C-alpha cells in the first residue's frame, strides 16, 4: 500500500531559533513539505497558549496556500463549537475559490484552549459543546447546498453562484466523533497522538458503518495521525522527543503550561517527576513513532495497516526547528 503523508502543524513555539516567529516557521516548513511531496499541510487551532501560535488557522491557510504550489492546505482543525457554521462555510468556500482543489476544512469539538479563552470567544453568549452535532450537520449542508426545503436557512447564499466546496473532515481522538462523522458525511481523521492509549481500530469501522447507514454517496475516507520524530537513530530520536513528552506530562498530569524545554533539561526534569508521572512520561514516549528513517517508515506502515488507512498525519514538535525540519525531510526521502 502506497501511503500519503500529511503534516499536522500545531505552530509550536520553538526554543530555537529564539528570534524567529512560530508563524514564519510554519510557512517555511509548509514550503519545504510542498517540495518534499507531502500530500496535505494541516494547521491546528489553539487559544491563549504559550506553546502554540495558531489561533486562526483560516488566515494562515490562505497565506500558506499562496506560498506553495500543489500541497493541499487545511485546518486540523477549526474548533467549531466557538463559531457560526455559516461563517466557517463562507470562509472556507472563499479559500477553495482562491485555491481550487487544494483546501481542506477539518473541524473538532475540543476548545483548543482554557476556560477563559472559551468564554472570551463566546462573549457575550456562553460557551458550550451541546450544539456540536447540529453545528456539524448544518456546516455540511450549507457547503453542499443540501438544506431541507423547510429549513429557515434554506435560501442562505454561501458564495455567489455555485460555491466552491472544500473537502470536509471531522477530527477526533476517540469513538465520540466517529458515528457523527459518518452520519453527516464527512471524512474522518483519528488522532492517535493525544493519549498514550489511543482509540482502537474499531473506531474506524464504527465511522464507516455510520456512513453506510446514512446512505451517503461515494466511499467513506478515514486517516490517522501520529506523533513521530525521525533522526539518525532511535536513541537520538528519543533524546529529541523528550521536550514534547515532558510538556505533555506537565500539561495533562499537572495542569501546567510551560515553554518547550531543551532536550537536556527535559531529560533532567523527567527524573525529578513523581513516580507516577515518570511512568506517564515513558508511556507517552513509547507511544510515539521514533527512530531512523527505516525504523519510522516501518512503524508508520504497521500502524496504517492496523487501522486500514492509506494516509497518515505526522505531528512533530522539537525544541530546535532544524531537528523538526530534518525529521520531515528524512521521512519524505524514505517514504515519498
Amino acid at each position: 500500500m502506497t501511503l500519503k503523508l500529511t503534516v499536522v502543524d500545531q505552530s509550536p513555539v520553538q526554543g530555537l531559533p529564539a528570534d524567529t516567529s512560530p508563524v514564519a516557521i510554519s510557512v517555511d516548513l509548509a514550503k519545504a513539505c510542498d517540495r518534499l511531496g507531502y500530500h496535505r499541510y494541516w494547521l491546528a487551532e489553539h487559544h491563549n497558549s504559550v506553546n502554540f501560535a495558531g489561533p486562526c488557522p483560516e488566515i494562515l491557510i490562505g497565506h500558506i496556500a499562496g506560498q506553495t504550489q500543489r500541497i493541499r492546505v487545511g485546518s486540523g482543525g477549526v474548533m467549531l463549537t466557538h463559531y457560526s457554521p455559516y461563517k466557517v462555510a463562507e470562509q472556507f468556500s472563499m479559500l477553495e475559490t482562491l485555491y481550487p482543489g487544494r483546501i481542506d476544512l477539518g473541524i473538532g469539538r475540543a476548545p483548543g484552549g482554557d476556560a477563559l479563552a472559551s468564554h472570551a470567544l463566546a462573549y457575550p453568549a456562553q460557551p458550550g459543546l451541546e450544539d456540536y452535532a447540529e453545528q456539524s450537520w448544518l456546516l455540511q449542508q450549507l457547503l453542499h447546498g443540501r438544506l431541507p426545503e423547510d429549513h429557515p436557512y434554506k435560501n442562505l447564499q454561501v458564495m455567489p453562484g455555485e460555491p466552491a466546496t472544500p473537502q470536509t473532515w471531522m477530527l477526533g481522538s476517540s469513538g465520540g466523533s466517529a458515528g457523527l462523522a459518518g452520519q453527516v458525511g464527512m471524512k474522518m481523521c483519528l488522532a492517535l497522538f493525544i493519549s498514550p492509549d489511543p482509540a482502537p481500530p474499531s473506531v474506524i469501522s464504527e465511522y464507516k458503518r455510520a456512513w453506510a447507514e446514512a446512505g451517503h454517496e461515494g466511499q467513506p475516507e478515514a486517516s490517522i495521525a501520529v506523533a513521530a520524530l525521525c533522526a539518525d537513530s532511535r536513541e537520538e530520536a528519543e533524546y529529541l522527543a523528550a521536550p514534547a513528552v515532558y510538556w505533555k506530562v506537565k500539561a495533562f498530569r499537572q495542569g501546567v503550561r510551560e515553554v518547550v524545554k531543551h532536550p537536556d533539561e527535559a531529560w533532567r526534569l523527567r527524573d525529578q517527576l513523581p513516580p507516577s508521572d515518570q511512568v506517564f512520561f515513558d508511556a507517552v514516549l513509547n507511544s510515539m513513532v521514533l527512530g531512523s528513517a527505516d525504523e519510522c517508515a516501518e512503524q508508520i506502515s504497521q500502524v496504517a495497516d492496523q487501522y486500514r488507512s492509506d494516509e497518515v498525519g505526522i505531528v512533530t514538535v522539537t525544541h530546535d526547528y532544524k531537528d523538526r525540519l530534518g525529521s520531515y525531510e528524512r521521512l519524505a526521502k524514505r517514504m515519498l
Side-chain angles (χ1 to χ4, degrees), residues 103-160:
I103 300 299
D104 298 332
L105 167 55
I107 64 169
R109 76 167 77 227
D114 57 17
L116 180 62
S118 294
H119 189 279
L121 285 164
Y123 184 84
Q126 292 296 314
L129 299 176
E130 64 274 5
D131 298 324
Y132 180 67
E134 183 179 353
Q135 286 178 295
S136 303
W137 175 85
L138 179 57
L139 175 63
Q140 186 77 332
Q141 306 312 308
L142 284 167
L143 283 168
H144 290 87
R146 297 174 183 163
L147 282 170
E149 291 296 331
D150 60 350
H151 195 280
Y153 295 160
K154 173 62 180 177
N155 294 323
L156 268 179
Q157 182 173 258
V158 175
M159 287 281 287

Side-chain angles (χ1 to χ4, degrees), residues 9-13 22-23 26 43-60 75-79 83 111-112:
D9 180 9
Q10 299 170 315
S11 298
V13 179
V23 175
S26 285
L43 295 143
E45 177 183 326
H46 293 93
H47 301 280
N48 197 30
S49 172
V50 300
N51 304 106
F52 303 117
C56 40
E58 66 280 3
I59 295 178
L60 197 48
S75 56
V78 166
M79 300 296 99
Y83 310 116

